[in-house]
Amino acid sequence: MGVRIMKNKGKNSFRAEKKIRGIRYSKNFSSKEAADEWLLNLEKNFVTKHNGSNKSVKRMTVKQMLVRLVEVEAKKDIDPRTVDAYLETIPHFDPINNICVSKLTVKQLVDCFKKIRNRLNGEILSKSRMYKFLGRFTRALNIAARRGVFMKNFEDAEAEIVGYIKNNGKDERTNPPYTGEELELLLNYVAPAKKEPWWVLPLIKVYLYSGKRLGEIIGLTNDKINLKSKEIEINSMVSGRMYHDHLKSHAKPHKVEMDDDLYKVICEIQEQNKIHRPGSDWLFPPIHYRGRPDFKKGKHKCPYKGQPILDSSVRKFIKERMEKSGAGKKKIHDLRSVYATLRLFQLLKEGNVLAREIVQAELNHKSYKTTEKYIRFADELMNNGHKRNVISSFFSSLEPKQVSTAVDVNEELRKRGINPEEIDWELFYNLLLSFINGMKKAA
């Protein structure tokens, strides 16, 4: 929306476009000044035609506009934490909160975003975080436009802010996921007695072996687990204080085939539940059952007995284990990245030409661009064999066996009339991997 150049038979014209109350208005002009003037008059006409008290509407400030956004979002059936995030947005716009939306200039809005960049404890915000602020402000403007309140030249301000974010925003983390040594520390750590619930380590293993999202794992119930066919049905999730009978947006219901490691962990969890929380439908129920007044069923009525475990408790204990085990405190979602990286590494070593498509389907991503963020380290693993990560016997065939000394091997080969220098070790290793995988499938 705004003014753009149109080329027709070697002549340039300027097309002015504006979408107001769901209706698109457009017109061509010979000069940019005429197009800008037409847009300005169009907005003024709609402001004056607004029903009700025009004066009170024109005086709507940026803060009032953002508060209105929060009110609109609160009426939707979304996680209450999302509404809290919208509320936290308002203080960040302090420099312009008291300015009327209709009088807000491009410079004032751009300067505000430059201040937002350094708002949190002096740290530079990431590009994705900055884009979130811009998206929320845009949605607030759309809500204000329905009441006849418009900001002049917002398209110009948006273009300038996007350019500023690209050049000055902090890039996403480039640290790789856990290495094999760090994962070994995380999985083998023994917590002091009564300092860690029994479900922490099994939940981490389910995360690593399945690659599912945390909300999907917490939302697992016993009726979705078929031990005979070794399949888990994923079609609902728990997010914060709400149960959803659907998955994250763009994610489709699907089934997960359990390998031996995941099957073993699921059986252990169900056995523990018979001891700690018999009668509950959830795979991970709270040990000490207490009613959760904050747990909202919303329009998606929860059909299961009891209530699920708090995701805040899960995050708390997993982060404590990461820190105390010496593995390094990272985002819990990095465990999903570990699964994606190692899974792709395994499929590529097997020579599967559809490796990337398989990982995308297993992670349940609509776009491959999202999958690339999780598997960006797989190429490094392929080029640097010493960096291979091993999290379980599911990936054990990827790690070559360590030999005491290379000299002993060479001598043994020469005794048998074989010249070690003539052996293609890479081809031999690939053939060995194919043999091992064939044996695993046959078993």
Side-chain angles (χ1 to χ4, degrees):
M1 298 298 170
V3 179
R4 57 192 177 97
I5 300 176
M6 305 291 291
K7 293 184 179 180
N8 185 18
K9 297 181 180 181
K11 296 181 179 180
N12 292 342
S13 62
F14 296 86
R15 186 176 184 84
E17 291 183 326
K18 188 72 177 180
K19 191 174 183 180
I20 301 176
R21 302 178 190 174
I23 302 175
R24 185 189 297 269
Y25 299 88
S26 61
K27 192 174 181 180
N28 291 340
F29 296 90
S30 58
S31 65
K32 187 177 185 300
E33 292 75 13
D36 288 333
E37 185 179 356
W38 181 81
L39 278 178
L40 185 60
N41 292 331
L42 180 69
E43 293 175 359
K44 287 181 178 179
N45 290 335
F46 271 92
V47 170
T48 55
K49 290 179 182 179
H50 176 73
N51 296 327
S53 176
N54 245 349
K55 293 183 178 180
S56 61
V57 171
K58 286 182 179 180
R59 291 174 187 167
M60 177 183 280
T61 63
V62 173
K63 185 174 182 179
Q64 291 171 342
M65 180 184 72
L66 294 172
V67 169
R68 178 61 183 158
L69 171 67
V70 175
E71 293 173 352
V72 170
E73 293 297 324
K75 292 179 181 179
K76 299 179 181 178
D77 183 29
I78 59 176
D79 191 333
R81 292 180 303 177
T82 305
V83 180
D84 295 340
Y86 278 94
L87 276 172
E88 293 172 0
T89 302
I90 299 175
H92 289 276
F93 287 93
D94 275 342
I96 60 174
N97 266 341
N98 295 324
I99 300 176
C100 291
V101 177
S102 58
K103 295 182 180 179
L104 186 63
T105 64
V106 173
K107 186 179 184 304
Q108 288 173 331
L109 184 57
V110 173
D111 289 343
C112 178
F113 269 87
K114 289 180 180 180
K115 293 180 180 179
I116 288 175
R117 175 175 170 264
N118 300 307
R119 289 285 286 186
L120 295 179
N121 302 324
E123 296 181 3
I124 298 175
L125 295 185
S126 65
K127 293 180 181 180
S128 60
R129 189 77 184 276
M130 293 284 287
Y131 282 128
K132 283 183 180 178
F133 281 113
L134 180 59
R136 290 168 187 170
F137 188 85
T138 304
R139 284 193 286 274
L141 272 180
N142 290 335
I143 292 174
R146 295 172 196 164
R147 303 185 63 185
V149 180
F150 302 94
M151 176 190 166
K152 300 175 184 177
N153 301 325
F154 173 69
E155 290 80 7
D156 296 337
E158 186 179 28
E160 191 171 340
I161 291 168
V162 169
Y164 175 78
I165 293 174
K166 287 181 179 178
N167 297 326
N168 298 279
K170 185 179 177 181
D171 289 327
E172 298 296 330
R173 271 185 318 112
T174 56
N175 296 328
Y178 281 118
T179 62
E181 294 78 11
E182 291 171 340
L183 281 173
E184 189 175 354
L185 290 172
L186 182 66
L187 296 174
N188 295 335
Y189 171 71
V190 179
K194 298 182 180 181
K195 291 293 183 180
E196 181 182 275
W198 66 269
W199 47 261
V200 176
L201 182 58
L203 193 145
I204 290 175
K205 289 182 177 179
V206 172
Y207 217 138
L208 288 171
Y209 298 160
S210 67
K212 297 296 104 181
R213 300 177 179 90
L214 182 61
E216 296 169 353
I217 295 174
I218 294 176
L220 282 177
T221 51
N222 293 319
D223 63 331
K224 297 173 185 175
I225 300 171
N226 192 332
L227 296 179
K228 291 183 179 180
S229 61
K230 291 188 175 182
E231 288 182 339
I232 301 176
E233 188 177 358
I234 308 292
N235 56 14
S236 62
M237 62 181 293
V238 172
S239 176
R241 294 171 269 177
M242 297 188 72
Y243 167 82
H244 302 279
D245 61 357
H246 55 80
L247 300 179
K248 190 179 177 180
S249 58
H250 305 306
K252 299 178 181 178
H254 59 284
K255 291 184 179 181
V256 176
E257 294 184 6
M258 291 187 281
D259 66 337
D260 294 338
D261 295 296
L262 183 56
Y263 177 82
K264 184 180 178 181
V265 172
I266 294 294
C267 291
E268 291 175 356
I269 294 171
Q270 290 184 337
E271 288 297 322
Q272 287 286 342
N273 282 337
K274 292 178 182 178
I275 301 172
H276 296 284
R277 191 75 185 105
S280 177
D281 289 341
W282 302 96
L283 182 65
F284 290 102
I287 298 178
H288 304 293
Y289 176 77
R290 287 188 290 268
R292 287 177 53 188
D294 64 331
F295 184 72
K296 298 182 180 180
K297 299 177 182 180
K299 70 176 183 180
H300 307 297
K301 188 175 181 181
C302 185
Y304 300 105
K305 292 180 182 178
Q307 294 172 351
I309 197 168
L310 275 166
D311 64 341
S312 58
S313 298
V314 174
R315 295 178 186 278
K316 171 189 172 184
F317 285 110
I318 291 181
K319 286 183 178 179
E320 283 183 1
R321 186 180 184 88
M322 288 176 173
E323 192 172 8
K324 293 179 180 178
S325 64
K329 194 172 181 180
K330 297 188 178 184
K331 290 184 177 180
I332 297 176
H333 207 65
D334 283 347
L335 300 176
R336 182 168 156 89
S337 180
V338 170
Y339 170 84
T341 302
L342 294 177
R343 180 62 171 147
L344 179 69
F345 179 63
Q346 181 198 34
L347 293 171
L348 290 176
K349 293 299 288 184
E350 292 176 356
N352 195 320
V353 294
L354 299 175
R356 297 178 185 272
E357 288 77 7
I358 292 173
V359 173
Q360 179 183 346
E362 290 180 346
L363 294 179
N364 205 0
H365 287 154
K366 181 181 180 181
S367 171
Y368 179 67
K369 291 183 179 180
T370 308
T371 311
E372 281 183 329
K373 297 177 182 179
Y374 291 79
I375 58 179
R376 57 188 179 275
F377 305 106
D379 292 333
E380 294 181 11
L381 295 173
M382 290 291 294
N383 298 327
N384 301 282
H386 63 280
K387 290 184 180 179
R388 293 176 189 143
N389 297 342
V390 182
I391 61 174
S392 70
S393 60
F394 183 73
F395 300 105
S396 61
S397 61
L398 302 177
E399 193 72 17
K401 301 297 181 182
Q402 298 294 327
V403 191
S404 57
T405 57
V407 178
D408 295 336
V409 175
N410 292 337
E411 288 180 359
E412 290 294 328
L413 290 172
R414 289 191 179 96
K415 287 179 183 180
R416 291 165 173 76
I418 302 173
N419 185 0
E421 298 177 357
E422 297 178 354
I423 299 175
D424 189 344
W425 289 105
E426 185 176 356
L427 177 61
F428 173 77
Y429 178 60
N430 290 333
L431 290 173
L432 180 61
L433 276 180
S434 301
F435 173 76
I436 292 173
N437 291 324
M439 293 293 291
K440 288 175 68 177
K441 291 178 181 178

